[in-house]
Amino acid sequence: MKEKINKNKKIVNFLFEIGTMRKLPRIHQQVLLSQDLSDNIATHSYRVSLVAWFLAKLEKADPYKTVMMALLHDTKEVRSGDHNYIHKKYVKIFEDEISKDQLGYLPFSDLFEFDKEFEKRESKEAIIAKDADLIDQMLLLKEYTHQGNKEAEIWLSGKGTDNNINIQYQSLKTDSAKKLGMEILEGKVSEWWENIWTNKNR
């Protein structure tokens, strides 16, 4: 009975820890000059997971494994914080240590194994999960650009790069992600509701 209680306590403590992801803003807001309270590690991970599911289906990979990697891909930031590209120059993060302490002692080893596989970026599912992470960043930049954020427009357009192509798009590995990425770059943020709006109540 004691072992069962300890197992449940570990699960519950982990779930409380994961709950704090809702309170962690994504730190790119510093250089994107935005104050977006809806953009946090939890909301980012949610959309990344949905993107990962679609990409896994399109690429004929394991959707479960891919989605789990996407869900977990930023959980270490609960303990390290999020860091933008300025911080990364000066801060060392002990990701292996965080992963072991955070996931390695849970009752089931699956989450720890998914995280290790994701970090290696060798399996199809790990590559797709990273593509999903990049796709979500493209979606966010498109949304911010639509709202008039000039810095996001620079990032989205790839201005300042050698070929003026979005840096996230250049980093995509799978064909399906590249197709989605191009749709994001060429499409409209508000198109999803254009054919469903009405000025009359039912």
Side-chain angles (χ1 to χ4, degrees):
M1 183 67 179
K2 186 178 178 183
E3 182 183 340
K4 191 171 186 179
I5 292 171
N6 288 340
K7 180 189 294 186
N8 290 334
K9 184 176 283 296
K10 287 178 181 178
I11 293 170
V12 168
N13 285 342
F14 175 70
L15 295 175
F16 276 128
E17 179 177 353
I18 292 305
T20 67
M21 290 170 66
R22 295 172 295 181
K23 303 179 187 304
L24 295 173
R26 297 177 70 211
I27 207 64
H28 60 222
Q29 294 182 36
Q30 177 188 15
V31 287
L32 273 174
L33 307 177
S34 62
Q35 187 75 46
D36 181 1
L37 297 178
S38 71
D39 182 31
N40 57 56
I41 304 301
T43 58
H44 165 65
S45 297
Y46 175 74
R47 187 159 64 177
V48 170
S49 300
L50 286 173
V51 174
W53 185 85
F54 281 108
L55 289 178
K57 298 293 272 187
L58 291 167
E59 291 289 323
K60 297 181 173 38
D62 182 342
Y64 171 71
K65 184 190 277 193
T66 310
V67 167
M68 290 309 298
M69 287 183 193
L71 274 171
L72 293 166
H73 83 283
D74 276 345
T75 57
K76 291 188 283 293
E77 292 179 4
V78 170
R79 299 191 183 196
S80 69
D82 189 16
H83 297 90
N84 62 35
Y85 292 123
I86 297 168
H87 303 146
K88 288 177 190 249
K89 181 175 181 180
Y90 302 102
V91 177
K92 178 165 179 56
I93 304 168
F94 300 90
E95 290 194 343
D96 291 345
E97 189 175 327
I98 295 173
S99 182
K100 184 177 179 186
D101 289 348
Q102 188 180 56
L103 304 173
Y105 300 102
L106 289 172
F108 310 103
S109 62
D110 308 47
L111 301 185
F112 184 53
E113 295 302 322
F114 287 146
D115 184 64
K116 287 196 302 186
E117 184 175 336
F118 174 74
E119 293 299 338
K120 289 181 182 176
R121 305 281 201 286
E122 293 174 351
S123 70
K124 192 173 188 178
E125 288 77 12
I127 292 166
I128 291 170
K130 183 57 187 176
D131 274 359
D133 186 25
L134 296 167
I135 288 286
D136 181 64
Q137 189 65 19
M138 292 179 69
L139 289 162
L140 187 76
L141 289 172
K142 185 77 172 194
E143 291 162 348
Y144 283 177
T145 298
H146 186 72
Q147 295 169 34
N149 185 314
K150 297 295 184 186
E151 189 66 26
E153 184 179 349
I154 292 169
W155 291 21
L156 187 68
S157 66
K159 289 179 183 171
T161 62
D162 291 339
N163 49 13
N164 287 338
I165 298 177
N166 173 272
I167 191 73
Q168 287 83 22
Y169 183 82
Q170 290 183 70
S171 302
L172 295 172
K173 304 295 184 196
T174 62
D175 289 340
S176 298
K178 289 174 185 175
K179 288 175 183 174
L180 282 185
M182 191 53 65
E183 192 69 38
I184 292 165
L185 292 173
E186 295 176 352
K188 290 170 55 181
V189 169
S190 58
E191 190 171 351
W192 70 270
W193 57 264
E194 285 181 355
N195 293 321
I196 61 173
W197 77 274
T198 180
N199 61 359
K200 294 180 181 178
N201 291 340
R202 294 177 70 176

